[in-house]
Amino acid sequence: MYSKIRKKQQCAIDSLQSSLDSEARCRIEATRLKRSMEGDLTEMELQLSCASRQASEATKSLGQLQTQVK
């Protein structure tokens, strides 16, 4: 009788441990993905800043050219 209870308890413990291990792996993966996405976002922000600067310079140059043409 006690051995059956112990087996059931051990099975429950093993199941909980498996769930905890799985959750820990998922959290680690989520953290890794978050860091990766943050790095990608930083890179995109830098690219956007550069593109905006280039667009601003091009607009200014266009305005100067239009003034010269007039």
Side-chain angles (χ1 to χ4, degrees), residues 30-64:
T31 300
R32 186 190 68 74
L33 289 172
K34 179 183 174 190
R35 287 183 184 149
S36 175
M37 290 173 66
E38 287 171 344
D40 291 346
L41 179 59
T42 299
E43 178 65 27
M44 285 189 275
E45 287 172 340
L46 289 172
Q47 291 176 358
L48 176 60
S49 175
C50 183
S52 294
R53 194 176 321 110
Q54 289 174 343
S56 176
E57 290 172 5
T59 301
K60 184 188 283 185
S61 295
L62 179 61
Q64 291 171 352

Side-chain angles (χ1 to χ4, degrees), residues 10-40:
Q10 189 60 47
C11 183
I13 290 170
D14 291 345
S15 176
L16 286 171
Q17 187 62 50
S18 177
S19 294
L20 287 172
D21 292 345
S22 177
E23 183 177 340
R25 284 190 301 274
C26 289
R27 285 177 181 251
I28 290 168
E29 179 66 10
T31 300
R32 186 190 68 74
L33 289 172
K34 179 183 174 190
R35 287 183 184 149
S36 175
M37 290 173 66
E38 287 171 344
D40 291 346

